[in-house]
Amino acid sequence: MEWLRIEGGRELRGRVSVPGAKNSCLKLMALCIMASSECTITNVPSITDVDTMCDLLRAVGAGIVRQRASVLSVDPRPIACTRLPEQLVRCMRASVQVLGPLLARFGEVQMPYPGGCPIGSRPIDLHLKGLAAMGAQFSEEHGLISGRANRLVGTEIHLDFPSVGATENLMAAACLATGTTVIRNAAREPEIVDQQNFLTRLGGQIRGAGTDTIRITGVPELGSTTYPVMPDRIQAGTYMIAAAATRGDITVTDVVPEHLEAVGSKLAESGAAVIASEDSVRVVMGDRPAPISVKSMPYPGFPTDLQAPMAALLTVGRGTSVVTENIFNNRFRYVDELSRMGAQISVDGRTAIIRGVSELTGARVAAPDLRAGAALVVAGLAARGETIIDGVEHITRGYDGLSERLASCGAHISHTVDAPEAASFDS
Ligand code: EPZ
């Protein structure tokens, strides 16, 4: 059992550096399957999802060496198996990202449906339809998907929705297909540009990532490379929101400010000063947030992964805010937990109406998923008194050194793996 204990109501002040992005690093690791020899990834975050991806790649035979916490090598040459173990695949949605690389490189794959955060239905039909359009054949028995492709052939694919994972899987597989693949209505997230940059370093021929049309011309084989993961825009956004929630002053460093424009502009609308420089963003807040309306959208819209932390901030707003979730159909599971802390939120379908209260009060709450957990941390930092958060294993899937980073800015927060009584503060 792991617990976070927060003594809230303290302004956060200082600088927080941001590690590599979970949602790019996991995909880069999967792409290593298609390399010709060992690849080294740097700026790797220390999160449990990276450990799970290491286990998954080891399970198919890849050689994994973690030289340091932030440097990881993946050697695909010993891969001898294309069947993925159920218990690992069920732990993490990103396990589906090995589908395209295994199929493209070895012509076959068997995997169960992936697991991941319980935030709504998460089908993989767009991944399978796109790969089928390139010539793969899929069958399904007892929940196990089997895919075969003697040869993938480039084609035109129009995605029904700009799915991040489907865009990445198809882009990967197309690199080793014959001819040219065009993906239209592609997702435009910065993580996809990171995948393009990585694949290009391997010798892939891709252009268009970051726009809604990506063109890939297949090559017979890819090489190897050393590559740094892009900064984590969701961890960065969480610290920006935490600064606003505690009426503090935090500079998040080692970021790409352009990736943070949507969250920065919403924080500014709620009354924060948001100052971007070359590779950092400072957020200063002096008052309770003004009520605003937030709608999650595909990039460059407001990220769904920051919807819950932003809602936590707005619970102490000076009026009624409206938060609409447009990407996943069950991403308000944090609402009951925030209510225990005094938040006034009602949910109607995809919309949460948040009536701001003057303050939250600390309580014992449980993180139902990763970003909901981050929302509870934001709320705990803002609340009066002590908050204890259970379900920390969700948070450590995606936040690297969260309590240390917040403590370095003055938060009274401790992470224990024992009974909550074990933690104490120097106040
Ligand atoms: C990625 O998930 C991220 N996960 C998510 O972050 C993020 O919330 C999401 O993109 C959107 O930005 C990883 O990168 C590991 P999608 P992904 O395919 O790729 C529907 C976090 O907290 N859809 O863009 O799974 C789907 O149901 C996680 O770090 C289909 O219908 O997201 C959803 O409604 C949570 N069929 C929408 O598209 C498909 O085949 C967006 O999903 C695929 C998706």
Side-chain angles (χ1 to χ4, degrees):
M1 294 291 275
E2 295 183 51
W3 323 72
L4 278 178
R5 188 196 291 257
I6 301 172
E7 191 66 44
R10 289 161 199 280
E11 287 174 15
L12 297 187
R13 292 186 174 274
R15 295 171 78 79
V16 180
S17 71
V18 173
K22 165 177 92 79
N23 288 344
S24 184
C25 184
L26 298 172
K27 325 301 177 58
L28 298 181
M29 291 170 70
L31 292 177
C32 291
I33 290 172
M34 303 199 305
S36 59
S37 61
E38 185 176 82
C39 291
T40 299
I41 303 172
T42 63
N43 203 27
V44 172
S46 288
I47 52 174
T48 54
D49 271 11
V50 165
D51 301 336
T52 305
M53 186 56 95
C54 286
D55 290 344
L56 192 65
L57 292 173
R58 277 194 197 100
V60 294
I64 307 283
V65 178
R66 194 103 185 232
Q67 289 101 327
R68 295 197 300 279
S70 64
V71 180
L72 180 70
S73 295
V74 181
D75 187 349
R77 288 170 294 189
I79 292 178
C81 163
T82 52
R83 183 177 176 141
L84 299 164
E86 173 138 16
Q87 72 277 17
L88 289 174
V89 174
R90 283 193 172 278
C91 285
M92 185 177 70
R93 170 74 179 185
S95 51
V96 75
Q97 302 306 144
V98 303
L99 182 68
L102 279 177
L103 202 54
R105 179 81 193 267
F106 298 100
E108 59 174 27
V109 62
Q110 285 111 40
M111 70 178 295
Y113 276 95
C117 281
I119 52 180
S121 67
R122 299 183 78 179
I124 58 167
D125 56 315
L126 301 177
H127 303 238
L128 300 180
K129 252 167 72 178
L131 290 167
M134 294 166 74
Q137 291 178 331
F138 291 99
S139 59
E140 195 189 321
E141 211 176 354
H142 307 302
L144 188 73
I145 303 162
S146 299
R148 270 190 181 281
N150 290 336
R151 203 174 103 184
L152 290 173
V153 181
T155 187
E156 294 248 345
I157 299 168
H158 190 111
L159 292 175
D160 295 338
F161 183 88
S163 154
V164 174
T167 301
E168 290 167 338
N169 245 332
L170 299 174
M171 193 168 95
C175 281
L176 289 178
T178 306
T180 297
T181 300
V182 182
I183 307 172
R184 297 192 196 282
N185 198 26
R188 298 162 58 189
E189 270 67 4
E191 290 75 11
I192 291 171
V193 178
D194 218 29
Q195 314 305 289
Q196 170 176 286
N197 293 341
F198 178 80
L199 287 164
T200 303
R201 292 266 280 266
L202 292 183
Q205 292 189 12
I206 311 174
R207 60 198 162 88
T211 75
D212 62 6
T213 304
I214 303 177
R215 286 188 168 74
I216 309 109
T217 300
V219 295
E221 64 173 8
L222 296 169
S224 62
T225 191
T226 295
Y227 188 86
V229 181
M230 63 172 271
D232 194 317
R233 62 194 172 96
I234 306 301
Q235 290 191 61
T238 305
Y239 296 121
M240 291 166 66
I241 293 169
T246 60
R247 297 182 218 172
D249 179 350
I250 289 187
T251 303
V252 291
T253 64
D254 306 305
V255 297
V256 180
E258 187 193 335
H259 296 168
L260 299 166
E261 278 173 7
V263 61
S265 105
K266 281 293 158 189
L267 288 173
E269 203 181 318
S270 76
V274 180
I275 307 128
S277 69
E278 200 182 325
D279 65 352
S280 69
V281 179
R282 180 176 173 199
V283 174
V284 188
M285 185 75 147
D287 201 352
R288 289 168 60 197
I292 55 172
S293 152
V294 179
K295 295 181 179 156
S296 67
M297 301 288 280
Y299 190 85
F302 189 89
T304 172
D305 292 346
L306 288 174
Q307 180 260 107
M310 190 60 148
L313 164 68
L314 297 173
T315 61
V316 290
R318 284 177 276 131
T320 299
S321 296
V322 180
V323 173
T324 308
E325 172 56 47
N326 288 311
I327 309 296
F328 292 104
N329 58 15
N330 188 17
R331 218 170 187 183
F332 288 126
R333 292 175 77 232
Y334 58 86
V335 165
D336 287 347
E337 302 303 310
L338 288 181
S339 302
R340 290 171 190 268
M341 301 175 73
Q344 301 269 314
I345 309 176
S346 58
V347 175
D348 182 9
R350 288 183 174 267
T351 301
I353 311 286
I354 304 174
R355 276 171 287 278
V357 294
S358 59
E359 68 173 5
L360 298 176
T361 48
R364 185 160 195 151
V365 290
D369 64 68
L370 166 58
R371 308 302 174 187
L376 298 179
V377 172
V378 167
L381 292 168
R384 177 168 50 84
E386 182 184 83
T387 295
I388 292 177
I389 304 176
D390 296 315
V392 175
E393 62 280 4
H394 292 294
I395 300 175
T396 51
R397 288 185 56 188
Y399 286 85
D400 173 346
L402 177 83
S403 47
E404 292 83 356
R405 287 174 208 274
L406 289 169
S408 76
C409 293
H412 276 198
I413 178 168
S414 65
H415 180 179
T416 67
V417 289
D418 209 334
E421 288 69 30
S424 67
F425 298 105
D426 313 323
S427 47

